[in-house]
Amino acid sequence: MKNILVTGGTGYIGSHTCVELLSAGYNPIIVDNLCNSKIEVLDRIREIVPVTLYFYNVDIGDEQGMEKVFSERPIDTVVHFAGLKAVGESCKLPLWYYENNVAGTVCMLRVMARHGCKNIIFSSSATVYGPDNPIPYVEDMPTSATNPYGWTKVMQEQILRDAAVADPEMRVALL
């Protein structure tokens, strides 16, 4: 059974992803700092799929905490949902968003590299297509943003692309 690290795994999309992973025979390892979710979500997941869940109350920017997760559970793939997500709040607290979303992702990538984890699926946002692209958006459109939240997503996508270029074995999917 493959271990899939789900960052932000107690959030709405993360928890639903965990249910689907469990139903498909994977073993989700949940990492969440609970700043946008509640611990009770784990009970809801267990009600749907009654299994042992591995949960770590860790921020992805906590390098020692992430080291512990990767040391205790060999991770095959990361599905990365963790991050602050409110546009208005990002305009009032931009440094918090850059620290949490961008620096946190860089920290996680360093730990992944040390543990030989070379697969990541990143939950981005349509906000990366900015105001000038026509709808419907397509993946080859240029990216831009109009707020700090959007810029964190643009930056994270670029960091992941650069990491994949630097390491040809790294597989990155941007959602």
Side-chain angles (χ1 to χ4, degrees):
M1 183 182 305
K2 287 189 176 187
N3 290 332
I4 310 294
L5 180 68
V6 182
T7 68
T10 60
Y12 182 79
I13 298 172
S15 63
H16 284 75
T17 299
C18 288
V19 168
E20 292 304 315
L21 288 169
L22 286 162
S23 297
Y26 293 98
N27 185 32
I29 310 300
I30 301 170
V31 167
D32 204 306
N33 67 6
L34 301 173
C35 82
N36 281 322
S37 61
K38 294 184 174 20
I39 192 73
E40 292 81 17
V41 169
L42 298 175
D43 295 329
R44 304 286 185 316
I45 294 171
R46 284 187 201 102
E47 287 173 17
I48 297 167
V49 185
V51 296
T52 301
L53 286 176
Y54 298 98
F55 171 74
Y56 293 86
N57 185 351
V58 172
D59 188 289
I60 62 166
D62 173 359
E63 200 151 344
Q64 287 181 330
M66 292 300 287
E67 271 293 332
K68 179 179 186 213
V69 173
F70 276 81
S71 295
E72 290 182 3
R73 308 270 172 228
I75 306 296
D76 297 296
T77 299
V78 173
V79 181
H80 183 25
F81 295 112
L84 299 171
K85 61 185 188 314
V87 170
E89 182 180 66
S90 78
C91 294
K92 293 177 184 166
L93 302 166
L95 298 181
W96 187 34
Y97 272 69
Y98 291 119
E99 174 77 25
N100 186 81
N101 295 3
V102 179
T105 297
V106 170
C107 174
M108 183 181 65
L109 287 168
R110 280 195 306 264
V111 175
M112 286 174 64
R114 283 196 295 272
H115 290 270
C117 181
K118 300 199 178 260
N119 304 307
I120 184 167
I121 300 165
F122 174 59
S123 178
S124 190
S125 169
T127 193
V128 301
Y129 295 113
D132 297 327
N133 287 311
I135 296 173
Y137 300 134
V138 292
E139 291 181 356
D140 61 354
M141 289 179 166
T143 57
S144 66
T146 60
N147 56 71
Y149 164 73
W151 281 115
T152 68
K153 292 295 190 174
V154 170
M155 290 175 188
Q156 288 172 92
E157 284 191 9
Q158 188 60 54
I159 290 165
L160 289 164
R161 281 190 204 94
D162 292 343
V165 168
D167 181 353
E169 293 179 9
M170 185 149 189
R171 297 182 337 170
V172 172
L174 305 173
L175 301 178

